[in-house]
Structure formats: structure tokens, C-alpha cells
């Protein structure tokens, strides 16, 4: 993991596109490019920090509040029956992007989650989900 090429810092800086759901001064939330499930969102602090343990208190509070709000949007607007929140720290724990992020993954009754990266059928499908979830 090379922090100087951090892809999430590039998204925050507007250097590469993302399907944004929410943004404020400390936090950004956007659709995961390779979703485990339709509506899989990443909630990311704007400050670059590699692990949860590196994140300043104010950014931690902001990012967990937005994670809660994203969960609410998923339940009401997607809709879904529940959701998983998870957060990986270190390559040994499956962290591939060296910038703290919370995964918020919608869940549906009777539908087991396939814990493998998927894709959207088209950019339009991702935009439709964005329109439902944006706040
Ligand atoms: P990790 O394994 O580090 O917890 O998760 C990183 C996540 O970032 C993966 O689910 C991956 O699909 C997602 N990701 C990596 N690069 C990009 C990107 O350029 N745009 C978006 N939207 N998601 C990305
Ligand atoms: Zn970064």
C-alpha cells in the first residue's frame, strides 16, 4: 500500500470521479466501485489516515455519524432489510486502500451475501442508486 498514490485522496481532491452520496467538510461517502451488493457505500474521512487508530477524534465522530446516516438512507430509500458495517485495518486484514473507510453493505431477507467484489450492470444503474441515496 503506497499512501502517496492514495486513490481516496484523489477522489476527495476531485482528481478521479466517484458516485457521491454525501459530502461535508470532514467526510465523503460514495458507491464502492466493486460492490458486494447493490448500494454498497464507502464512508471516508477527508483527512488521510491509514488505520482507524490513526484517525483524529473529530474525524472519527464525523465519519461514524455519516455511517449511521448512510445506513438510514439504505434502509429507507434503497430499500433494504438491514446492513453490515465493516472496516479493515492493515493488509493482513484485507485493507487494500491505505485510507480509513467504513463499508456499509445493504442486506436483504433471505439473500446471503457473496463476499466478493461485483459490478454495476451500467453507469445508469449506479446513477439510479445514487439518486435514491443522496443526502
Ligand atoms: P478495503 O479492502 O481496503 O477495505 O476496501 C477498499 C474498497 O475500495 C474496495 O471495496 C474497492 O472496491 C474500493 N475501491 C477501490 N478503488 C476504488 C475507486 O477508485 N473508486 C471507488 N468508488 N471504490 C474503489
Ligand atoms: Zn488518502
Amino acid at each position: 500500500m503506497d499512501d502517496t498514490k492514495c486513490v481516496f485522496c484523489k477522489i476527495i481532491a476531485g482528481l478521479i470521479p466517484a458516485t457521491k452520496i454525501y459530502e461535508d467538510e470532514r467526510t465523503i461517502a460514495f458507491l464502492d466501485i466493486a460492490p458486494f451488493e447493490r448500494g454498497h457505500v464507502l464512508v471516508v474521512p477527508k483527512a488521510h489516515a491509514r488505520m482507524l487508530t490513526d484517525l483524529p477524534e473529530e474525524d472519527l465522530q464525523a465519519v461514524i455519524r455519516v455511517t449511521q446516516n448512510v445506513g438510514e438512507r439504505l434502509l429507507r430509500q434503497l430499500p433494504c432489510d438491514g446492513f453490515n458495517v465493516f472496516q479493515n485495518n492493515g493488509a493482513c486484514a484485507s485493507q487494500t486502500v491505505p485510507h480509513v473507510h467504513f463499508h456499509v453493505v445493504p442486506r436483504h431477507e433471505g439473500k446471503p451475501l457473496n463476499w466478493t467484489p461485483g459490478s454495476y450492470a451500467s453507469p445508469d444503474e449506479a446513477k439510479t442508486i445514487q439518486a435514491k441515496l443522496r443526502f
Side-chain angles (χ1 to χ4, degrees):
M1 292 191 289
D2 181 350
D3 290 23
T4 63
K5 294 178 184 156
C6 176
V7 66
F8 291 170
C9 281
K10 287 182 181 162
I11 288 174
I12 291 159
L15 297 174
I16 61 172
T19 312
K20 287 183 205 169
I21 302 300
Y22 177 80
E23 184 167 12
D24 64 28
E25 64 277 5
R26 288 189 188 274
T27 317
I28 188 168
F30 49 86
L31 294 185
D32 193 302
I33 204 167
F36 288 175
E37 180 61 74
R38 288 171 74 257
H40 178 168
V41 173
L42 299 175
V43 182
V44 181
K46 288 188 170 175
H48 179 89
R50 179 177 274 235
M51 292 197 188
L52 190 62
T53 41
D54 301 322
L55 197 61
E57 173 78 21
E58 294 80 5
D59 297 302
L60 177 62
Q61 286 183 9
V63 84
I64 200 69
R65 171 55 54 88
V66 173
T67 298
Q68 183 188 48
N69 291 344
V70 167
E72 281 174 355
R73 297 298 291 172
L74 290 172
L75 289 172
R76 287 186 197 173
Q77 296 293 122
L78 200 55
C80 59
D81 303 308
F83 59 94
N84 290 107
V85 174
F86 65 95
Q87 195 272 320
N88 301 329
N89 297 278
C92 65
S94 303
Q95 184 179 12
T96 59
V97 176
H99 185 133
V100 176
H101 51 283
F102 284 79
H103 296 257
V104 191
V105 181
R107 300 298 302 272
H108 303 277
E109 291 293 346
K111 188 177 182 195
L113 190 64
N114 186 8
W115 294 90
T116 52
S119 61
Y120 288 104
S122 67
D124 276 355
E125 189 190 14
K127 280 188 186 140
T128 300
I129 293 171
Q130 178 190 35
K132 285 185 184 180
L133 297 181
R134 196 158 34 197
F135 65 102

